[in-house]
């Protein structure tokens, strides 16, 4: 959507691990590209760092690194960073990403709250005023009709509630987070 609605749209997908980018995010993007009701266009490469490229320079690329220098220098006013498993991304990467935002880039972070510090945690707490946050617990997601394949099911949520208890930290993170 981002690259399709902006003349100079660029998207960078990243996560806490390269495996997450390649095996999860890029696989999903390839499926969406293939099954789109309207053709998306562009050249979709097999590997995320080669990306989805459009002749006019728009692109979607994906990579993960633990070296902030490799994340620096990505700029543009129609740039969107999508950070999956954001609570596990090292803070030095978020610092580099912040420098990339100087030209107007946007950031979407997606994660369960598995850490009690860091950029993702702070977005819901001490720095909330700088973020538009959305919290979707598994209890709610499991009630979506029609069911979304891959989301937590009501039976799984009920099982974990019985197994872990609704007050347990793991239930709060994995079902309530």
């Amino acid at each position: 959507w981002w690259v399709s609605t902006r003349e100079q749209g660029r998207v960078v997908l990243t996560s806490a691990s390269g495996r997450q980018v390649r095996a999860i995010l890029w696989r999903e993007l390839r499926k969406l590209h293939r099954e789109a009701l309207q053709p998306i266009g562009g050249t979709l490469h097999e590997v995320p760092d080669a990306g989805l490229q459009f002749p006019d320079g728009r692109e979607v690329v994906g990579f993960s690194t633990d070296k902030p220098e490799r994340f620096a220098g990505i700029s543009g006013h129609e740039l969107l960073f999508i950070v999956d498993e954001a609570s596990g991304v090292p803070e030095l990467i978020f610092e580099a990403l912040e420098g990339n935002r100087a030209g107007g880039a946007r950031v979407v972070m997606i994660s369960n709250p598995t850490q009690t510090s860091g950029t993702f945690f702070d977005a819901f707490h001490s720095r909330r005023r700088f973020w538009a946050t959305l919290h979707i617990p598994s209890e709610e997601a499991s009630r979506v009709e029609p069911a979304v394949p891959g989301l937590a099911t009501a039976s799984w949520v009920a099982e974990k509630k019985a197994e872990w208890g609704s007050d347990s930290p793991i239930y709060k993170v994995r079902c309530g987070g």
Side-chain angles (χ1 to χ4, degrees):
W1 170 81
W2 189 268
V3 296
S4 296
T5 60
R6 286 159 174 77
E7 288 183 24
Q8 297 174 20
R10 294 173 62 209
V11 176
V12 175
L13 305 172
T14 194
S15 187
S17 73
R19 179 193 135 327
Q20 180 76 13
V21 174
R22 287 185 309 277
I24 308 297
L25 297 176
W26 202 249
R27 179 179 177 201
E28 188 66 22
L29 184 131
R30 290 176 57 225
K31 178 183 175 196
L32 291 169
H33 188 269
R34 182 178 61 250
E35 296 177 2
L37 297 178
Q38 297 293 321
I40 294 171
T43 301
L44 180 62
H45 297 278
E46 290 294 315
V47 293
D49 50 342
L52 168 59
Q53 303 290 329
F54 294 86
D56 60 4
R58 293 174 297 132
E59 67 178 350
V60 179
V61 296
F63 71 96
S64 180
T65 182
D66 58 357
K67 301 200 180 328
E69 304 83 31
R70 294 181 184 165
F71 213 83
I74 305 168
S75 60
H77 72 284
E78 293 184 325
L79 177 61
L80 174 66
F81 290 94
I82 299 177
V83 184
D84 192 29
E85 302 299 343
S87 65
V89 171
E91 282 306 298
L92 290 174
I93 301 303
F94 277 113
E95 288 176 19
L97 189 152
E98 195 58 35
N100 295 337
R101 287 192 56 238
R106 305 292 177 108
V107 178
V108 172
M109 295 187 291
I110 306 162
S111 195
N112 279 348
T114 59
Q115 306 291 324
T116 56
S117 65
T119 298
F120 184 74
F121 180 84
D122 292 345
F124 286 83
H125 297 91
S126 64
R127 295 190 175 137
R128 189 179 190 122
R129 70 183 183 277
F130 300 112
W131 295 90
T133 59
L134 181 61
H135 173 221
I136 306 172
S138 292
E139 295 101 330
E140 289 180 30
S142 67
R143 293 191 296 263
V144 171
E145 292 291 336
V148 177
L151 285 185
T153 63
S155 62
W156 181 83
V157 171
E159 174 187 315
K160 296 301 135 189
K161 190 173 194 176
E163 181 180 350
W164 297 331
S166 60
D167 291 330
S168 73
I170 192 167
Y171 183 85
K172 289 178 179 179
V173 167
R174 297 294 174 194
C175 297

